[in-house]
Amino acid sequence: MNELVIELTDISPRDFFGQNNENIDLIKKFFPKLKIVARGNKIKVYGDEDLLEEFDLRFDMLTAHYNKYNKLDENSIERLLASNGDDDFTASVTSGEVLVHGVSGRLIRAQTANQRKLVDASRESDMVFAVGPAGTGKTYTGVALAVKALKEKQVKRIILTRPAVEAGENLGFLPGDLKEKLDPYMQPLYDALRDMIAPEKLAHYIENGIIQIAPMAFMRGRTLDNAFVILDEAQNTTHAQMKMFLTRMGKNAKFLINGDPGQIDLPRRAVSGLKEALLVLQNVDGIGIIYLDDKDVIRHKLVKKVIAAYKSIEHNN
């Protein structure tokens, strides 16, 4: 039986192995045919040579992740160990850098391979589609890119929009004026901004129109120059809305269109503007399309399991 010995240097074994060795226990599940023993700052692994080579490669990915983010958790372990070989390193080096220094010193950066590809795509293309299920960081990464562009004076304003589609609820019966009725739909965008911009500055930006958060209908007739524009929940646009939005693009503008084709709240016979756009625009030069999946989920670990469970029944229907 072959042996591989790995020594952790400049890494705290307690942080890396996890409380009660929970990280090591999770790693063992991915390599059931190997015997893995962690003691002190050393890991000894026993098994077939080809499996040891695979383990060595994956372990290098885990240590690289820890050195970059100073943490290792269940989500990142599963994502790295289940990725396709060097997938997590196919994005450029700069795409993993800090995008924004957020509130309370929070460092905000792309955390997964596909999120880093989204950063690269936004750098290379003025119009990018980010497609994937809930929790994959489409909106959050997009808002970070927009805030970065504003802070670096690449654009003069940020415009965030989404269609106000009623997901099984009646908008007309909500209390308040139009803004108060629509604000709940915009909440994910507000939440992301609050992580990245101090409250007083955010209020100033919104009051002066530097950051605009508005429903899709407010985009009609506008030409959006010198702006980073994000369309969120794009799966709930119609053909007419999507075409209208995409043709608002002005000079020095960046457009990011986010959506999850698996969460369409349109009437049954309505065609999703996002699905149609992905077909129509897939071969157009200058437009980037990035697909995210359950490996990019960075919410609670159960979210990934929920997505997998629903995917199995949706594929069978």
mmCIF file of all heavy atoms in Angstrom, residues 203-232:
data_model
loop_
_atom_site.group_PDB
_atom_site.id
_atom_site.type_symbol
_atom_site.label_atom_id
_atom_site.label_comp_id
_atom_site.label_asym_id
_atom_site.label_seq_id
_atom_site.Cartn_x
_atom_site.Cartn_y
_atom_site.Cartn_z
ATOM 1 N N ALA A 203 -27.497 56.247 1.110
ATOM 2 C CA ALA A 203 -28.647 57.152 1.086
ATOM 3 C C ALA A 203 -28.369 58.360 0.185
ATOM 4 O O ALA A 203 -29.245 58.793 -0.578
ATOM 5 C CB ALA A 203 -28.978 57.625 2.500
ATOM 6 N N HIS A 204 -27.146 58.882 0.256
ATOM 7 C CA HIS A 204 -26.752 60.017 -0.597
ATOM 8 C C HIS A 204 -26.796 59.627 -2.070
ATOM 9 O O HIS A 204 -27.316 60.375 -2.909
ATOM 10 C CB HIS A 204 -25.340 60.482 -0.216
ATOM 11 C CG HIS A 204 -24.728 61.436 -1.187
ATOM 12 N ND1 HIS A 204 -25.065 62.783 -1.240
ATOM 13 C CD2 HIS A 204 -23.802 61.237 -2.175
ATOM 14 C CE1 HIS A 204 -24.375 63.368 -2.208
ATOM 15 N NE2 HIS A 204 -23.601 62.459 -2.782
ATOM 16 N N TYR A 205 -26.254 58.436 -2.379
ATOM 17 C CA TYR A 205 -26.244 57.971 -3.771
ATOM 18 C C TYR A 205 -27.668 57.819 -4.310
ATOM 19 O O TYR A 205 -27.958 58.215 -5.447
ATOM 20 C CB TYR A 205 -25.515 56.630 -3.870
ATOM 21 C CG TYR A 205 -24.000 56.710 -3.858
ATOM 22 C CD1 TYR A 205 -23.231 55.594 -3.520
ATOM 23 C CD2 TYR A 205 -23.333 57.878 -4.190
ATOM 24 C CE1 TYR A 205 -21.846 55.637 -3.515
ATOM 25 C CE2 TYR A 205 -21.942 57.937 -4.189
ATOM 26 C CZ TYR A 205 -21.210 56.822 -3.847
ATOM 27 O OH TYR A 205 -19.842 56.883 -3.850
ATOM 28 N N ILE A 206 -28.552 57.241 -3.499
ATOM 29 C CA ILE A 206 -29.924 57.011 -3.952
ATOM 30 C C ILE A 206 -30.670 58.341 -4.096
ATOM 31 O O ILE A 206 -31.373 58.572 -5.086
ATOM 32 C CB ILE A 206 -30.655 56.056 -2.976
ATOM 33 C CG1 ILE A 206 -30.031 54.648 -3.063
ATOM 34 C CG2 ILE A 206 -32.147 55.995 -3.298
ATOM 35 C CD1 ILE A 206 -30.588 53.658 -2.060
ATOM 36 N N GLU A 207 -30.471 59.227 -3.127
ATOM 37 C CA GLU A 207 -31.156 60.527 -3.151
ATOM 38 C C GLU A 207 -30.751 61.358 -4.366
ATOM 39 O O GLU A 207 -31.567 62.091 -4.942
ATOM 40 C CB GLU A 207 -30.834 61.295 -1.869
ATOM 41 C CG GLU A 207 -31.605 62.590 -1.715
ATOM 42 C CD GLU A 207 -31.309 63.283 -0.395
ATOM 43 O OE1 GLU A 207 -30.920 62.592 0.569
ATOM 44 O OE2 GLU A 207 -31.464 64.515 -0.335
ATOM 45 N N ASN A 208 -29.496 61.223 -4.793
ATOM 46 C CA ASN A 208 -28.987 62.018 -5.914
ATOM 47 C C ASN A 208 -29.014 61.275 -7.249
ATOM 48 O O ASN A 208 -28.464 61.763 -8.239
ATOM 49 C CB ASN A 208 -27.562 62.494 -5.609
ATOM 50 C CG ASN A 208 -27.528 63.552 -4.523
ATOM 51 O OD1 ASN A 208 -27.707 64.738 -4.799
ATOM 52 N ND2 ASN A 208 -27.315 63.130 -3.285
ATOM 53 N N GLY A 209 -29.629 60.098 -7.264
ATOM 54 C CA GLY A 209 -29.791 59.376 -8.517
ATOM 55 C C GLY A 209 -28.537 58.700 -9.022
ATOM 56 O O GLY A 209 -28.501 58.217 -10.163
ATOM 57 N N ILE A 210 -27.494 58.650 -8.189
ATOM 58 C CA ILE A 210 -26.262 57.958 -8.599
ATOM 59 C C ILE A 210 -26.501 56.452 -8.585
ATOM 60 O O ILE A 210 -25.975 55.709 -9.415
ATOM 61 C CB ILE A 210 -25.096 58.352 -7.671
ATOM 62 C CG1 ILE A 210 -24.819 59.858 -7.814
ATOM 63 C CG2 ILE A 210 -23.840 57.548 -7.987
ATOM 64 C CD1 ILE A 210 -23.876 60.411 -6.769
ATOM 65 N N ILE A 211 -27.304 55.996 -7.625
ATOM 66 C CA ILE A 211 -27.795 54.623 -7.627
ATOM 67 C C ILE A 211 -29.309 54.686 -7.761
ATOM 68 O O ILE A 211 -29.983 55.347 -6.975
ATOM 69 C CB ILE A 211 -27.405 53.869 -6.345
ATOM 70 C CG1 ILE A 211 -25.887 53.671 -6.286
ATOM 71 C CG2 ILE A 211 -28.103 52.509 -6.293
ATOM 72 C CD1 ILE A 211 -25.402 52.950 -5.041
ATOM 73 N N GLN A 212 -29.824 54.025 -8.788
ATOM 74 C CA GLN A 212 -31.263 54.016 -9.038
ATOM 75 C C GLN A 212 -31.768 52.577 -8.978
ATOM 76 O O GLN A 212 -31.192 51.691 -9.611
ATOM 77 C CB GLN A 212 -31.572 54.618 -10.415
ATOM 78 C CG GLN A 212 -31.072 56.049 -10.580
ATOM 79 C CD GLN A 212 -31.202 56.551 -12.011
ATOM 80 O OE1 GLN A 212 -32.023 56.080 -12.786
ATOM 81 N NE2 GLN A 212 -30.366 57.524 -12.365
ATOM 82 N N ILE A 213 -32.810 52.378 -8.207
ATOM 83 C CA ILE A 213 -33.436 51.051 -8.109
ATOM 84 C C ILE A 213 -34.882 51.215 -8.541
ATOM 85 O O ILE A 213 -35.648 51.924 -7.892
ATOM 86 C CB ILE A 213 -33.347 50.502 -6.677
ATOM 87 C CG1 ILE A 213 -31.884 50.474 -6.212
ATOM 88 C CG2 ILE A 213 -33.942 49.101 -6.597
ATOM 89 C CD1 ILE A 213 -31.694 50.036 -4.778
ATOM 90 N N ALA A 214 -35.228 50.587 -9.659
ATOM 91 C CA ALA A 214 -36.542 50.859 -10.239
ATOM 92 C C ALA A 214 -37.095 49.621 -10.924
ATOM 93 O O ALA A 214 -36.334 48.753 -11.377
ATOM 94 C CB ALA A 214 -36.433 51.987 -11.259
ATOM 95 N N PRO A 215 -38.414 49.508 -10.998
ATOM 96 C CA PRO A 215 -39.019 48.383 -11.722
ATOM 97 C C PRO A 215 -38.773 48.508 -13.216
ATOM 98 O O PRO A 215 -38.443 49.579 -13.732
ATOM 99 C CB PRO A 215 -40.508 48.504 -11.389
ATOM 100 C CG PRO A 215 -40.699 49.938 -11.056
ATOM 101 C CD PRO A 215 -39.437 50.390 -10.407
ATOM 102 N N MET A 216 -38.933 47.400 -13.891
ATOM 103 C CA MET A 216 -38.649 47.294 -15.326
ATOM 104 C C MET A 216 -39.401 48.349 -16.157
ATOM 105 O O MET A 216 -38.839 48.917 -17.097
ATOM 106 C CB MET A 216 -39.073 45.889 -15.779
ATOM 107 C CG MET A 216 -38.665 45.537 -17.168
ATOM 108 S SD MET A 216 -36.960 45.005 -17.156
ATOM 109 C CE MET A 216 -36.848 44.338 -18.800
ATOM 110 N N ALA A 217 -40.640 48.628 -15.792
ATOM 111 C CA ALA A 217 -41.460 49.549 -16.577
ATOM 112 C C ALA A 217 -40.839 50.935 -16.662
ATOM 113 O O ALA A 217 -41.078 51.675 -17.625
ATOM 114 C CB ALA A 217 -42.862 49.633 -15.979
ATOM 115 N N PHE A 218 -40.015 51.301 -15.661
ATOM 116 C CA PHE A 218 -39.410 52.630 -15.639
ATOM 117 C C PHE A 218 -38.243 52.756 -16.618
ATOM 118 O O PHE A 218 -37.691 53.842 -16.785
ATOM 119 C CB PHE A 218 -38.920 52.958 -14.218
ATOM 120 C CG PHE A 218 -40.024 53.265 -13.245
ATOM 121 C CD1 PHE A 218 -41.289 52.694 -13.385
ATOM 122 C CD2 PHE A 218 -39.817 54.113 -12.182
ATOM 123 C CE1 PHE A 218 -42.317 52.963 -12.496
ATOM 124 C CE2 PHE A 218 -40.837 54.397 -11.268
ATOM 125 C CZ PHE A 218 -42.094 53.817 -11.432
ATOM 126 N N MET A 219 -37.839 51.653 -17.255
ATOM 127 C CA MET A 219 -36.728 51.689 -18.211
ATOM 128 C C MET A 219 -37.168 52.144 -19.598
ATOM 129 O O MET A 219 -36.352 52.578 -20.406
ATOM 130 C CB MET A 219 -36.088 50.292 -18.340
ATOM 131 C CG MET A 219 -35.476 49.742 -17.064
ATOM 132 S SD MET A 219 -34.113 50.741 -16.429
ATOM 133 C CE MET A 219 -34.905 51.507 -15.009
ATOM 134 N N ARG A 220 -38.453 52.035 -19.871
ATOM 135 C CA ARG A 220 -38.954 52.333 -21.215
ATOM 136 C C ARG A 220 -38.665 53.786 -21.601
ATOM 137 O O ARG A 220 -38.880 54.715 -20.818
ATOM 138 C CB ARG A 220 -40.461 52.071 -21.288
ATOM 139 C CG ARG A 220 -41.023 52.080 -22.706
ATOM 140 C CD ARG A 220 -42.467 51.619 -22.716
ATOM 141 N NE ARG A 220 -42.624 50.256 -22.222
ATOM 142 C CZ ARG A 220 -42.381 49.169 -22.944
ATOM 143 N NH1 ARG A 220 -41.975 49.284 -24.197
ATOM 144 N NH2 ARG A 220 -42.562 47.963 -22.426
ATOM 145 N N GLY A 221 -38.151 53.973 -22.820
ATOM 146 C CA GLY A 221 -37.902 55.306 -23.343
ATOM 147 C C GLY A 221 -36.580 55.931 -22.929
ATOM 148 O O GLY A 221 -36.224 57.008 -23.393
ATOM 149 N N ARG A 222 -35.823 55.253 -22.061
ATOM 150 C CA ARG A 222 -34.556 55.815 -21.581
ATOM 151 C C ARG A 222 -33.385 55.310 -22.413
ATOM 152 O O ARG A 222 -33.430 54.235 -23.005
ATOM 153 C CB ARG A 222 -34.316 55.433 -20.121
ATOM 154 C CG ARG A 222 -35.406 55.851 -19.171
ATOM 155 C CD ARG A 222 -35.092 55.452 -17.742
ATOM 156 N NE ARG A 222 -33.925 56.150 -17.203
ATOM 157 C CZ ARG A 222 -33.413 55.923 -15.982
ATOM 158 N NH1 ARG A 222 -33.965 54.999 -15.214
ATOM 159 N NH2 ARG A 222 -32.371 56.587 -15.550
ATOM 160 N N THR A 223 -32.322 56.110 -22.480
ATOM 161 C CA THR A 223 -31.049 55.654 -23.017
ATOM 162 C C THR A 223 -30.062 55.661 -21.861
ATOM 163 O O THR A 223 -29.835 56.702 -21.245
ATOM 164 C CB THR A 223 -30.540 56.576 -24.143
ATOM 165 O OG1 THR A 223 -31.500 56.584 -25.194
ATOM 166 C CG2 THR A 223 -29.205 56.078 -24.685
ATOM 167 N N LEU A 224 -29.498 54.516 -21.552
ATOM 168 C CA LEU A 224 -28.699 54.360 -20.346
ATOM 169 C C LEU A 224 -27.214 54.478 -20.677
ATOM 170 O O LEU A 224 -26.568 53.516 -21.070
ATOM 171 C CB LEU A 224 -29.023 53.020 -19.682
ATOM 172 C CG LEU A 224 -30.524 52.806 -19.391
ATOM 173 C CD1 LEU A 224 -30.769 51.418 -18.831
ATOM 174 C CD2 LEU A 224 -31.044 53.870 -18.430
ATOM 175 N N ASP A 225 -26.684 55.715 -20.552
ATOM 176 C CA ASP A 225 -25.271 56.009 -20.802
ATOM 177 C C ASP A 225 -24.481 55.984 -19.509
ATOM 178 O O ASP A 225 -25.020 56.256 -18.423
ATOM 179 C CB ASP A 225 -25.109 57.398 -21.430
ATOM 180 C CG ASP A 225 -25.726 57.501 -22.819
ATOM 181 O OD1 ASP A 225 -25.643 56.522 -23.570
ATOM 182 O OD2 ASP A 225 -26.279 58.576 -23.127
ATOM 183 N N ASN A 226 -23.170 55.712 -19.612
ATOM 184 C CA ASN A 226 -22.255 55.831 -18.474
ATOM 185 C C ASN A 226 -22.806 55.162 -17.215
ATOM 186 O O ASN A 226 -22.746 55.724 -16.120
ATOM 187 C CB ASN A 226 -21.970 57.319 -18.178
ATOM 188 C CG ASN A 226 -21.353 58.019 -19.361
ATOM 189 O OD1 ASN A 226 -20.341 57.571 -19.893
ATOM 190 N ND2 ASN A 226 -21.963 59.102 -19.795
ATOM 191 N N ALA A 227 -23.354 53.974 -17.391
ATOM 192 C CA ALA A 227 -24.018 53.303 -16.274
ATOM 193 C C ALA A 227 -23.692 51.814 -16.259
ATOM 194 O O ALA A 227 -23.448 51.201 -17.301
ATOM 195 C CB ALA A 227 -25.527 53.489 -16.379
ATOM 196 N N PHE A 228 -23.676 51.270 -15.046
ATOM 197 C CA PHE A 228 -23.631 49.815 -14.871
ATOM 198 C C PHE A 228 -25.058 49.407 -14.539
ATOM 199 O O PHE A 228 -25.593 49.806 -13.505
ATOM 200 C CB PHE A 228 -22.684 49.420 -13.742
ATOM 201 C CG PHE A 228 -22.262 47.972 -13.782
ATOM 202 C CD1 PHE A 228 -20.945 47.612 -14.005
ATOM 203 C CD2 PHE A 228 -23.197 46.944 -13.603
ATOM 204 C CE1 PHE A 228 -20.546 46.280 -14.044
ATOM 205 C CE2 PHE A 228 -22.825 45.618 -13.655
ATOM 206 C CZ PHE A 228 -21.485 45.283 -13.871
ATOM 207 N N VAL A 229 -25.673 48.650 -15.419
ATOM 208 C CA VAL A 229 -27.093 48.343 -15.306
ATOM 209 C C VAL A 229 -27.269 46.844 -15.058
ATOM 210 O O VAL A 229 -26.735 46.018 -15.806
ATOM 211 C CB VAL A 229 -27.856 48.741 -16.586
ATOM 212 C CG1 VAL A 229 -29.360 48.563 -16.389
ATOM 213 C CG2 VAL A 229 -27.536 50.177 -16.979
ATOM 214 N N ILE A 230 -28.006 46.508 -14.011
ATOM 215 C CA ILE A 230 -28.264 45.104 -13.683
ATOM 216 C C ILE A 230 -29.760 44.839 -13.776
ATOM 217 O O ILE A 230 -30.562 45.522 -13.138
ATOM 218 C CB ILE A 230 -27.774 44.752 -12.265
ATOM 219 C CG1 ILE A 230 -26.261 44.956 -12.155
ATOM 220 C CG2 ILE A 230 -28.136 43.304 -11.920
ATOM 221 C CD1 ILE A 230 -25.717 44.712 -10.753
ATOM 222 N N LEU A 231 -30.113 43.859 -14.574
ATOM 223 C CA LEU A 231 -31.483 43.356 -14.627
ATOM 224 C C LEU A 231 -31.521 42.059 -13.833
ATOM 225 O O LEU A 231 -30.884 41.076 -14.215
ATOM 226 C CB LEU A 231 -31.930 43.118 -16.073
ATOM 227 C CG LEU A 231 -33.240 42.333 -16.264
ATOM 228 C CD1 LEU A 231 -34.400 43.028 -15.558
ATOM 229 C CD2 LEU A 231 -33.538 42.142 -17.743
ATOM 230 N N ASP A 232 -32.243 42.078 -12.723
ATOM 231 C CA ASP A 232 -32.338 40.909 -11.844
ATOM 232 C C ASP A 232 -33.650 40.172 -12.104
ATOM 233 O O ASP A 232 -34.611 40.766 -12.580
ATOM 234 C CB ASP A 232 -32.266 41.370 -10.387
ATOM 235 C CG ASP A 232 -31.755 40.287 -9.463
ATOM 236 O OD1 ASP A 232 -30.946 39.454 -9.909
ATOM 237 O OD2 ASP A 232 -32.154 40.277 -8.288
#
